[in-house]
Amino acid sequence: GESVGLHLPTLSVQEGDNSIINCAYSNSASDYFIWYKQESGKGPQFIIDIRSNMDKRQGQRVTVLLNKTVKHLSLQIAATQPGDSAVYFCAEKGASWGKLQFGAGTQVVVTP
Amino acid sequence: DGGITQSPKYLFRKEGQNVTLSCEQNLNHDAMYWYRQDPGQGLRLIYYSQIVNDFQKGDIAEGYSVSREKKESFPLTVTSAQKNPTAFYLCASSIDPGADEQYFGPGTRLTVT
């Protein structure tokens, strides 16, 4: 079956550097993508989303890039801070099935 | 404060006992969801409700039951038929069934021994 997945289970980043978290998807019918941040023992928090008619969307210190040609989604965090340490999930949704499907997540560890 | 609350944060039960997890939202959202989270896996949908007095099975509904008698409440019962109940359970809501973004509660960690 088709699924959402992440390339790296753990990403170690030095404080102040930029982080890039990747996500591969295989369902070409997906038209909505979302990134969540989950701190240890807490529920996921919305970070940013993007629709399939866009290639890029920017938020505060975060940018999501969508490459539909290779079915790839990435989250970029600028000037990574200790508070950015968390698990980051991507999820996809298609109009035909209407439910979010989640990837396993990437653990981001920010080192001083 | 508007949001989703789940209680309790930690729950311990003996095998063979049913247990009910609470989920309340004051966002006036129509749709509510229950997910299960296990280490190294993505969230898996247990049940969802699009409107009061309606609910449907998700991908892993076996051993679980829900009710939606009030718009703001969507309790999940983990029954003794659930073979592997120990997990982190997350409740979410969205403004309507067609909305893309879901808002999550803080979760309940259930341990069954």
Side-chain angles (χ1 to χ4, degrees):
Chain A
E2 297 184 334
S3 63
V4 174
L6 293 172
H7 293 305
L8 299 174
T10 303
L11 179 66
S12 185
V13 182
Q14 197 153 18
E15 184 178 353
D17 286 352
N18 296 336
S19 303
I20 299 176
I21 306 163
N22 296 305
C23 179
Y25 68 96
S26 56
N27 193 333
S28 57
S30 295
D31 58 7
Y32 175 79
F33 304 88
I34 188 168
W35 282 99
Y36 284 98
K37 171 187 179 183
Q38 186 177 24
E39 296 176 55
S40 181
K42 297 183 179 179
Q45 296 173 278
F46 169 86
I47 301 174
I48 193 167
D49 59 2
I50 189 167
R51 297 204 173 276
S52 58
N53 60 353
M54 302 172 69
D55 297 324
K56 180 180 179 179
R57 191 164 187 222
Q58 288 184 294
Q60 188 177 10
R61 278 200 311 120
V62 295
T63 300
V64 56
L65 298 177
L66 177 61
N67 186 330
K68 293 180 285 294
T69 302
V70 295
K71 297 188 184 73
H72 185 266
L73 187 71
S74 68
L75 177 70
Q76 300 178 2
I77 305 174
T80 311
Q81 302 169 359
D84 294 327
S85 291
V87 174
Y88 291 80
F89 298 97
C90 66
E92 63 175 332
K93 185 179 181 184
S96 62
W97 64 89
K99 307 289 179 296
L100 282 174
Q101 292 186 8
F102 293 85
T106 292
Q107 175 77 56
V108 172
V109 177
V110 181
T111 56
Chain B
D1 284 337
I4 302 175
T5 56
Q6 291 184 244
S7 61
K9 188 170 177 62
Y10 299 97
L11 194 52
F12 298 89
R13 279 296 182 270
K14 294 288 186 187
E15 195 174 319
Q17 293 179 334
N18 291 353
V19 59
T20 298
L21 282 60
S22 167
C23 178
E24 304 278 329
Q25 54 98 359
N26 61 3
L27 300 167
N28 201 32
H29 284 178
D30 282 330
M32 297 186 74
Y33 311 82
W34 273 105
Y35 292 92
R36 174 186 169 126
Q37 185 174 37
D38 295 285
Q41 297 188 37
L43 304 185
R44 292 184 290 167
L45 183 63
I46 303 172
Y47 265 99
Y48 63 101
S49 169
Q50 296 182 321
I51 201 166
V52 175
N53 293 321
D54 170 78
F55 50 82
Q56 275 124 46
K57 293 181 179 179
D59 300 320
I60 55 164
E62 186 175 350
Y64 299 98
S65 66
V66 294
S67 63
R68 186 88 186 276
E69 297 175 3
K70 298 186 293 183
K71 186 175 186 178
E72 60 269 23
S73 179
F74 191 39
L76 173 75
T77 297
V78 184
T79 75
S80 57
Q82 168 48 233
K83 290 181 172 53
N84 226 357
T86 295
F88 191 51
Y89 290 88
L90 287 161
C91 179
S93 70
S94 61
I95 192 165
D96 60 53
D100 295 316
E101 187 181 342
Q102 294 179 15
Y103 299 83
F104 284 86
T108 292
R109 185 165 299 282
L110 172 65
T111 302
V112 177
T113 56

